[in-house]
Amino acid sequence: MLSIKGLLVAGVAAAALVTAAQASAAEGEVRIGMITTLSGPGSSLGNDVRDAFALAVKELGGKLGGLKAVVLEGDDQQKPEVAKELATRMVEKDKIDFATGIIWSNLALALMPTFERGQVYFVSANAGPSQLAGKQCNPYFFSASYQNDGQHEAMGHYVQAKGYKRVYLMAPNYPAGKDGLNGFKRFYAGEVAGEVYTQVGQLDYAAEIATLKAAKPDAVFVFYPGGMGVNFVKQWHQAGLKGQVPLFGPGFTFSEDTLAAMGDAALGTLNAAQWSPDIDNAENRTFVAGFTAAYGRLPSVYASQAYDAAKLIDAAIRKSGGKLADKDALRKGLKAAEFKSVRGAFKFGANQFPIQNYYLREVIKDDKGRYLNKLKSVVFTEHKDAYSVECGM
Amino acid sequence: MTSLLLIEQSLNGLQLGVMLFLMAAGLTLVFGIMDLIHLSHGSFYMVGAYFTATFARLTDSFVLGLLLALPAVAVVGMAVELVAVRRLYARDHLEQVLGTFGLILFFNEGVRMLWGPQPIFLSPPAALAGTVEVLPGLPYPAFRLAILAVGLAVALALWGLVNHTRLGMLVRAGASNRAMAGALGVNIPTLFTAVFGLGAALAGLAGGMAGPVLAVQVGMGESILILTFVVIVIGGIGSIRGALVGAVLVGLVDTLARLMLPSLLRTVLPPSQADGLGSSLASMGIYVLMAAVLAVRPRGLFPARG
């Protein structure tokens, strides 16, 4: 045992030496830690985030805020422990200036202390947990995406307005799942026929769908991003429920990264998000055309967020005069958000989460046979999340 | 309403049980006959799913894809036995665990390199995409019924193979006393290769059929492998009959516990807590079952070796 201990100490010492040697990043470059999910059922989200971020950097001439952009990539496999290891290495050894890419709220919460300690700005391209929007709001966290509840709140509002009385709710059992259903219930006042939380990454929903059917709800609202959504919607279809019971979801459940795999099973479903491929502004047209040309597939809402995250970082560095070491100047630059978002109007609230519109979308099949969302109406204008009042910033 | 729900959930449980049986039938023979701790059986499940996906795409037919995948997985299984596993029979169990764990890593990385890290989503054949009215007022997905039917047919075929053919007799002899079977002139190495190939094909069948229900992805074999071990421990090592009974028990207990516990807990707790607690308790259910079986019958329900 003693010798193992000795070896460990030697190893730690050696690692420290290596760290010291690599500590200084080259002058005139900005280092971005892209920690995202590139394998497993959640990989469709991570791929879109990585690719859209890379597209934005490419369009900016390989630079962010005039500095050469070095994007370090890591696959977190949707596992907190893997993500933590990547984050620690990127903060301590690679000396990143910004972190982004994290998809899952439980991972974002686990990594926040590491980024804060290393004074690294975490510009989220997806996860927007309620904790970081409220009591635990953090000067080093900026959401370029949303607060988790937003899309669900918009759908709750719609379902309420349509007069549904008994709605059955389902989500994965993790922070964003709970945020999601809480958000839905904040705007939906009717009876909850059932509220079911399943394991994260669960792929067989036969038992849950049978229970759901027996509860005979008016409508069903499910939050299942990535592969979970593909399986739920396909099994819903296979169980013969499509067309029998109205199925609603946030934009995450019916997103361009998974719509192709769902096929006709998702056609016609309504969902809500802060972005849609057909939002009419110059930035969005460039983005959708550029993404489709570069990768041969349609961008999802996740891609739009990552694209905006890159543009936000670009604007922040520019505004701070390129001085990455001046953290206060960078923060002011981020808060100003002087970039043109693909979703249209975008500004930050006091808790550094966006104040933005939410739209109702419908899944359609276009004349090229592609499945995508079409904007139907505006649900919320300049919507602010419910937690910002608890934030002391 | 409640009884229909119970029947539907039992069908779901049976369907999981059938998948587990296909996995466990091969693995229990490997344990029983070869006395080998074999962790990479789940890899054959995964490889079967990937082969099915690829062949289905090439032939434009899921059934044809599955039929082509089976011999292909059997070949992979036999190759693994000849190249790697054969060297582990004489070693102790720790080395077998290390060796076969290495195979898991090898297969996962290999699949990632060949097919990429993104999952593949398969669709069931068009004829089985809809539902079948099993009872009045109880539509059930046709593809899941097909899985049940195939699984039961394979169970019957295996029973015939093991109990009424010469190969089956050799397998039974090997399972109950390997040394004696060898001494009586049974060609043990060939028998081992054949059993390994058969086990791999059965796992591949389970994986191929799981494709359209779940998703074809790297590491898909590991989650089912753990349940398979539970099935084998409950059923008794080396026993096909034990594998069948154990698999159905585990499938039913797992599915019904997932249904009952959350709704029971909801009577005393708020839904989000009840579901969290209920699903964690439900996932313990099969291990409680295993512990209970072991307490009463330490060698499992139907041990092969007397």
Side-chain angles (χ1 to χ4, degrees), chain B:
Chain B
M1 177 207 91
T2 347
S3 61
L4 277 187
L5 177 61
L6 205 63
I7 293 171
E8 180 166 8
Q9 296 293 24
S10 305
L11 280 175
N12 287 331
L14 275 179
Q15 183 237 319
L16 175 62
V18 157
M19 294 294 238
L20 288 175
F21 168 70
L22 291 176
M23 289 291 289
L27 190 55
T28 198
L29 290 179
V30 171
F31 278 143
I33 302 182
M34 306 179 192
D35 196 22
L36 173 78
I37 310 273
H38 179 45
L39 295 183
S40 57
H41 203 65
S43 301
F44 298 134
Y45 174 84
M46 173 179 72
V47 169
Y50 274 96
F51 277 169
T52 305
T54 303
F55 290 137
R57 193 176 306 152
L58 290 178
T59 59
D60 251 345
S61 152
F62 174 78
V63 179
L64 215 58
L66 186 59
L67 289 179
L68 283 172
L70 296 186
V73 183
V75 168
V76 171
M78 288 191 277
V80 167
E81 200 271 345
L82 287 172
V83 173
V85 173
R86 176 157 290 198
R87 285 154 228 292
L88 296 170
Y89 294 139
R91 309 285 188 92
D92 66 27
H93 284 164
L94 180 61
E95 285 174 56
Q96 295 176 350
V97 166
L98 283 175
T100 53
F101 187 74
L103 283 174
I104 296 185
L105 301 179
F106 169 81
F107 274 108
N108 281 351
E109 270 322 299
V111 164
R112 210 190 296 269
M113 279 154 74
L114 284 175
W115 280 280
Q118 292 232 28
I120 302 173
F121 296 96
L122 284 178
S123 289
L128 296 173
T131 57
V132 173
E133 189 116 344
V134 193
L135 284 172
L138 178 58
Y140 195 74
F143 188 73
R144 286 175 193 264
L145 279 181
I147 292 181
L148 255 176
V150 169
L152 293 178
V154 168
L156 206 66
L158 265 184
W159 175 78
L161 179 78
V162 170
N163 289 310
H164 296 283
T165 65
R166 182 165 174 80
L167 176 67
M169 194 175 66
L170 297 180
V171 166
R172 273 181 292 138
S176 57
N177 194 330
R178 179 167 45 144
M180 184 54 84
L184 292 173
V186 176
N187 187 344
I188 295 287
T190 317
L191 179 67
F192 281 13
T193 311
V195 168
F196 213 83
L198 177 69
L202 289 175
L205 175 63
M209 290 197 304
V213 176
L214 308 175
V216 182
Q217 58 181 327
V218 174
M220 65 189 283
E222 273 90 87
S223 47
I224 196 165
L225 184 74
I226 296 169
L227 290 178
T228 308
F229 280 130
V230 175
V231 166
I232 292 174
V233 169
I234 288 177
I237 291 171
S239 160
I240 301 260
R241 188 162 51 136
L244 182 61
V245 174
V248 169
L249 268 178
V250 167
L252 283 178
V253 167
D254 189 54
T255 306
L256 293 180
R258 252 165 62 198
L259 164 73
M260 311 261 182
L261 278 176
S263 49
L264 271 181
L265 284 171
R266 253 165 221 236
T267 52
V268 284
L269 287 172
S272 110
Q273 282 179 34
D275 283 313
L277 190 62
S279 61
S280 3
L281 285 179
S283 51
M284 282 164 53
I286 52 166
Y287 302 104
V288 174
L289 171 73
M290 177 170 79
V293 168
L294 286 184
V296 184
R297 301 190 64 134
R299 300 169 68 87
L301 293 175
F302 304 97
R305 249 175 254 176

Side-chain angles (χ1 to χ4, degrees), chain A residues 97-148:
Chain A
D97 304 296
F98 293 91
T100 187
I102 292 128
I103 302 289
W104 307 94
S105 288
N106 50 334
L107 272 60
L109 289 170
L111 301 193
M112 199 55 233
T114 311
F115 295 140
E116 190 185 7
R117 240 188 337 265
Q119 298 194 314
V120 169
Y121 281 106
F122 175 6
V123 179
S124 181
N126 193 54
S130 58
Q131 290 85 346
L132 290 176
K135 289 200 182 72
Q136 298 172 40
C137 62
N138 193 307
Y140 282 95
F141 183 88
F142 281 85
S143 165
S145 49
Y146 49 73
Q147 194 283 314
N148 282 348

Side-chain angles (χ1 to χ4, degrees), chain A residues 201-213:
Chain A
Q202 180 173 325
L203 292 178
D204 193 352
Y205 294 95
E208 286 78 10
I209 288 177
T211 314
L212 176 164
K213 218 166 50 177

